[in-house]
Amino acid sequence: ATWGYGNDNGPATWVKSFPVAAGTRQSPIDIVPTAAKCDTKLTENPLTVNYSPEPAMELCNPGLSVKANIKSKSVIKGGPLEGEYKLEQFHLHWGSADKQGSEHTLNGKMFPAELHLVHYNATKYSSFGEAVDKPDGLAVFGIFLKISDKPHQGLKSLTDVLSEVQYKDKSINIKQEYNPVCLLPDNINKYWTYLGSLTTPPLCESVTWIVFEEPIEVSEDQMKAFRALCCGECGSAPIVDNYRPPLPLGNRQLRASFQ
Ligand SMILES: NS(=O)(=O)c1ccc(CCNC(=O)Nc2ccc(Cl)cc2)cc1
Ligand SMILES: [Zn+2]
């Protein structure tokens, strides 16, 4: 039985095939800003993003989300990171309704969706596959989505074509030069960071999470476009509620880049 987000294969069942699900550095977590330690080391060494345009970005529906695979050299460094991390892919998690959908929560509050930009430690490892199970292998940007009456222009290039990847294993190329930098919030200097894991199987405890305080704003129509994606072929269930609920922070330190 493959894992998923249904009643008989969802997050509560994953520990059977992936025992690390019961580990001590699992993600997501509930972010409690008052419990975060403001760390000036994070501000002294600002997070820097050097993304470049993708000539023909591949957008696909692997069946549980929508994912864009990155080929060009887009890198990040600084903040909590040692070395340079290279963007590999980005994807989203979303709900069946606006009241749920994000993986990280903020003081117990869920957002309608969460965008993940997945990077691997290109200074130490030669590929994503090599880095995926190393404690310093990955860095993922978590960006909350909130509803506004205006569509998000950066996401519009994707939401406008989601109908072309409605079914599992469909993929298309976004023609025009797409620079993923358009997906970041305006202020990337305010974030929380902690050591965690992949939020889906194989749940490797290899992720330095960087969750931005500022959400990006999307329209209800854009959320509807994500909820129209299908898990399988025509007639299959919509992809919704593809989020793992938060796990205990345990002995981990949640750090903040701001007061
Ligand atoms: N959600 S994460 O950033 O911690 C994460 C990053 C990378 C991987 C390895 C590649 N696999 C992948 O991206 N799988 C995936 C993603 C979203 C959904 Cl909804 C379902 C499956 C897994 C999790
Ligand atoms: Zn994710």
Side-chain angles (χ1 to χ4, degrees):
T2 55
W3 65 271
Y5 294 92
N7 294 331
D8 32 17
N9 68 352
T13 73
W14 294 350
V15 66
K16 283 182 287 181
S17 305
F18 305 93
V20 73
T24 57
R25 62 170 278 190
Q26 289 290 293
S27 293
I29 60 166
D30 179 35
I31 292 172
V32 181
T34 52
K37 182 178 181 304
C38 176
D39 187 342
T40 50
K41 283 205 296 297
L42 294 174
T43 36
E44 279 152 19
N45 179 18
L47 185 63
T48 58
V49 175
N50 289 305
Y51 283 179
S52 25
E54 280 292 299
M57 188 171 74
E58 191 210 6
L59 191 69
C60 66
N61 172 349
L64 291 167
S65 180
V66 59
K67 191 187 295 188
N69 297 305
I70 299 299
K71 297 181 190 71
S72 71
K73 188 176 187 309
S74 289
V75 295
I76 62 173
K77 62 182 177 16
L81 305 174
E82 289 193 13
E84 190 172 79
Y85 285 67
K86 187 172 181 293
L87 182 62
E88 169 81 7
Q89 53 111 320
F90 64 82
H91 63 264
L92 295 99
H93 304 257
W94 61 89
S96 48
D98 292 348
K99 65 183 186 329
Q100 63 205 46
S102 67
E103 300 209 293
H104 290 90
T105 53
L106 190 53
N107 282 324
K109 170 191 142 97
M110 272 190 179
F111 287 79
E114 185 172 331
L115 166 64
H116 289 158
L117 292 126
V118 183
H119 312 76
Y120 73 90
N121 187 334
T123 298
K124 278 186 77 171
Y125 309 107
S126 57
S127 71
F128 175 82
E130 188 195 348
V132 73
D133 63 350
K134 308 297 186 293
D136 59 354
L138 306 181
V140 182
F141 282 165
I143 302 173
F144 292 125
L145 272 64
K146 68 179 264 198
I147 307 296
S148 95
D149 49 10
K150 299 180 302 300
H152 187 276
Q153 288 312 315
L155 272 176
K156 199 168 179 312
S157 318
L158 310 183
T159 49
D160 280 356
V161 298
L162 287 181
S163 55
E164 294 176 48
V165 292
Q166 186 169 13
Y167 305 121
K168 188 173 187 303
D169 299 332
K170 298 278 285 180
S171 75
I172 51 152
N173 280 339
I174 304 275
K175 284 284 158 291
Q176 88 277 0
E177 304 256 298
Y178 187 84
N179 191 324
V181 77
C182 68
L183 296 172
L184 301 181
D186 296 336
N187 182 351
I188 63 166
N189 297 314
K190 293 174 81 172
Y191 59 85
W192 298 279
T193 183
Y194 74 98
L195 297 181
S197 73
L198 301 178
T199 64
T200 74
L203 300 168
C204 305
E205 298 189 323
S206 59
V207 181
T208 297
W209 276 96
I210 294 170
V211 180
F212 294 108
E213 192 240 9
E214 182 186 333
I216 59 172
E217 300 190 359
V218 300
S219 65
E220 191 52 48
D221 282 350
Q222 289 181 300
M223 287 309 306
K224 285 195 176 101
F226 287 115
R227 297 180 186 130
L229 290 168
C230 296
C231 297
E233 74 288 343
C234 182
S236 58
I239 303 176
V240 289
D241 299 326
N242 52 355
Y243 62 88
R244 187 190 193 190
L247 287 303
L249 180 63
N251 291 334
R252 292 177 281 182
Q253 175 72 57
L254 177 67
R255 293 190 288 163
S257 68
F258 63 106
Q259 185 44 267

